[in-house]
Amino acid sequence: MNFLRIIANDILTSPAFLLGLMSLVGLLALRKPFNKLITGTLKPILGYIMLGAGASFIVSNLDPLGKMIEKGFGITGVVPNNEAITSIAQNLLGKETMFILVTGLLINILIARVTKFKYIFLTGHHSFFMACMFSAVLSTSGLKGGMLVLVGGFLLGAWSAISPSIGQKYTDLVTDDDGIALGHFGSLGYYLSAFIGSKVGNKEDSTEDIVIPEKVNFLRDSTISTAITMIVFYLIAAIAAGPEYIQTNLSNGTNYIVFSLTSALSFAVGVTIVYNGVRMILSELIPAFQGVSQKLIPNAIPAVDCAVFFTYAPNAVLIGFISSFIGGVIGMLILGATGAVLIIPGLVPHFFCGATAGIYGNATGGKKGAIVGAFINGLLLAFLPAALLPVLGSIGFQNTTFGDFDFGVLGILIGKTVENFGEIGIYAIIAILLVILIVPNFIKTKTHVINAKDEY
């Protein structure tokens, strides 16, 4: 009896052990050898512990940054970062997040098996982040326990199958019909960038005709570029707040410049640790589900991480990043001028999302498309996180939030629906998604949902 109590109260309620258990079940189903069972079970557990270690760096250094900005500029500053907000939220919603993640993965596989949406979402860390966001937003509606997990899991699984199909025609332009799809929850921003690019530019005037100096390539290293960018923000905030305030209230007498540099570098280290922890979690969990899906779902289309697309337009990567970051800075200034919460441009979302927006904008509008599309993406990466904060419940009071496009759109949509209609609004959203998933099964004409190459 004590053994069962330990399993029920300690193991099944611990996100780290729960992840390891789920991975073990998947590997057993695939009949993996003993050595794979050991590594596949331990890596998710160790990865989750690593995530917690990185969280301590992030939380301890976001707090003084927010206080410096508030003191120096008279406004509250928030740094959008998926890794940061996810690690913080695990203290409140760890178990719910993990169950929603696993349920969502299973529902994505089921949808791909029984509908014409054949996309298998393989970017596991984004599934993890989205599961966390759904657990936060849905819990504010009063959903609890099994119903919270089922609703969150369905939303995650459905969007994982639907979102790649929305812009598959643009993805095919980017990849020249390589037979892959986009599996990243910044997708709506990339598709918007491609649409804008088609209106403002010419795809024949490609960014890839530009020669980028080798000395700028350090920006591709997200750890170094995160550190450099955060150093700039910390120093600006420190100078604005003043040495007396920092050394008296924040640094325990340490020189304010040294304190700011140390905090900025610690933030970059924390993000890197958390990101590596999430990768370790999913390096074994996702293959377990992927292997099952390959056996069960013929003609499945892999939906892969946005970074996979960087090789198709390397110049657009840097152009998109810079344009998006400029848009984020202008968005920050607009928010500050209007007295709203100050959204400090986070380097991680602006690098990965801005770069991908540039790639998609270039595919339809060349250089102009990359610049304008990514710039609009950057503006919205300031406005959407600001609007998302109020619907995140108790975790919305931290100095960070989700940074990517889809998180903002879905979080705001669900949050506002709950605010105005309660639980019935959530069920209405589920009904709409079911219609989207089911109706194509009765349409005999070919669409890109069946096979991306059939139509484009």
Side-chain angles (χ1 to χ4, degrees):
M1 185 64 69
N2 288 335
F3 178 71
L4 294 177
R5 187 177 296 110
I6 291 173
I7 294 177
N9 295 338
D10 297 323
I11 294 180
L12 293 180
T13 57
S14 169
F17 285 112
L18 181 61
L19 281 177
L21 180 60
M22 293 300 177
S23 182
L24 175 62
V25 170
L27 293 170
L28 286 172
L30 293 174
R31 298 181 180 180
K32 293 293 183 179
F34 179 76
N35 64 312
K36 288 290 185 180
L37 295 179
I38 295 296
T39 59
T41 302
L42 287 179
K43 276 191 175 182
I45 296 173
L46 294 172
Y48 194 89
I49 295 172
M50 184 183 292
L51 186 153
S56 65
F57 277 85
I58 293 170
V59 174
S60 63
N61 290 287
L62 280 175
D63 183 62
L65 177 61
K67 291 178 179 177
M68 286 190 289
I69 292 172
E70 185 174 0
K71 173 66 176 179
F73 299 98
I75 47 181
T76 301
V78 172
V79 181
N81 185 283
N82 296 333
E83 290 86 354
I85 188 65
T86 299
S87 61
I88 293 170
Q90 294 316 291
N91 294 326
L92 298 173
L93 300 163
K95 181 176 65 174
E96 293 83 353
T97 295
M98 297 311 160
F99 277 120
I100 289 175
L101 171 63
V102 174
T103 304
L105 292 171
L106 291 172
I107 289 176
N108 181 202
I109 293 171
L110 178 62
I111 289 172
R113 182 67 180 87
V114 303
T115 76
K116 292 185 177 181
F117 290 82
K118 297 298 182 182
Y119 300 95
I120 301 295
F121 196 94
L122 299 180
T123 311
H125 65 284
H126 256 225
S127 297
F128 181 61
F129 300 150
M130 187 63 82
C132 180
M133 197 273 288
F134 282 142
S135 68
V137 175
L138 292 174
S139 64
T140 64
S141 71
L143 290 179
K144 297 179 181 178
M147 186 57 67
L148 172 65
V149 171
L150 287 175
V151 171
F154 174 78
L155 293 175
L156 175 60
W159 189 246
S160 296
I162 292 171
S163 63
S165 73
I166 295 174
Q168 187 63 46
K169 63 180 181 181
Y170 298 132
T171 301
D172 286 340
L173 288 176
V174 170
T175 65
D176 194 24
D177 295 328
D178 266 359
I180 61 174
L182 176 70
H184 196 263
F185 291 135
S187 62
L188 295 178
Y190 313 146
Y191 304 151
L192 176 62
S193 179
F195 174 78
I196 292 172
S198 68
K199 303 301 179 184
V200 302
N202 178 5
K203 66 180 181 180
E204 302 302 326
D205 184 26
S206 175
T207 58
E208 303 318 293
D209 297 332
I210 304 172
V211 177
I212 299 291
E214 201 57 41
K215 61 183 179 181
V216 186
N217 280 342
F218 73 91
L219 291 173
R220 296 179 188 270
D221 188 322
S222 61
T223 301
I224 298 300
S225 51
T226 297
I228 292 172
T229 302
M230 294 312 295
I231 284 172
V232 173
F233 281 115
Y234 273 86
L235 288 178
I236 291 174
I239 293 170
E244 182 178 353
Y245 171 78
I246 294 173
Q247 292 170 197
T248 301
N249 298 282
L250 300 177
S251 70
N252 293 322
T254 301
N255 177 271
Y256 76 111
I257 296 296
V258 174
F259 174 76
S260 299
L261 291 173
T262 303
S263 298
L265 295 175
S266 296
F267 178 91
V269 169
V271 170
T272 301
I273 293 173
V274 169
Y275 187 72
N276 287 335
V278 172
R279 290 181 63 183
M280 185 178 287
I281 291 171
L282 296 160
S283 65
E284 300 296 335
L285 183 65
I286 296 303
F289 282 97
Q290 183 181 353
V292 173
S293 71
Q294 288 175 345
K295 291 185 177 182
L296 295 177
I297 307 166
N299 301 318
I301 302 172
V304 297
D305 194 359
C306 67
V308 173
F309 299 87
F310 285 8
T311 57
Y312 291 99
N315 291 349
V317 169
L318 292 178
I319 291 173
F321 164 57
I322 294 170
S323 299
S324 181
F325 190 77
I326 292 173
V329 170
I330 293 176
M332 176 185 68
L333 296 176
I334 293 173
L335 290 171
T338 58
V341 174
L342 182 67
I343 299 295
I344 303 172
L347 189 95
V348 173
H350 279 288
F351 178 76
F352 287 100
C353 298
T356 311
I359 293 170
Y360 273 71
N362 175 65
T364 59
K367 298 170 187 174
K368 288 183 179 179
I371 293 171
V372 178
F375 176 80
I376 298 299
N377 176 82
L379 278 177
L380 292 172
L381 288 183
F383 299 145
L384 287 173
L388 177 62
L389 275 172
V391 304
L392 288 178
S394 56
I395 66 172
F397 296 101
Q398 304 290 340
N399 287 326
T400 186
T401 184
F402 293 98
D404 297 357
F405 206 99
D406 292 14
F407 294 97
V409 172
L410 295 179
I412 294 167
L413 173 64
I414 294 172
K416 293 299 181 182
T417 300
V418 169
E419 180 182 330
N420 291 292
F421 303 103
E423 286 189 28
I424 192 172
I426 296 176
Y427 300 133
I429 292 175
I430 292 175
I432 292 172
L433 291 175
L434 285 172
V435 170
I436 294 172
L437 291 169
I438 294 172
V439 167
N441 293 324
F442 300 98
I443 300 176
K444 294 183 179 180
T445 57
K446 290 184 179 181
T447 71
H448 70 273
V449 173
I450 302 174
N451 188 324
K453 292 186 177 182
D454 286 342
E455 188 173 347
Y456 300 104

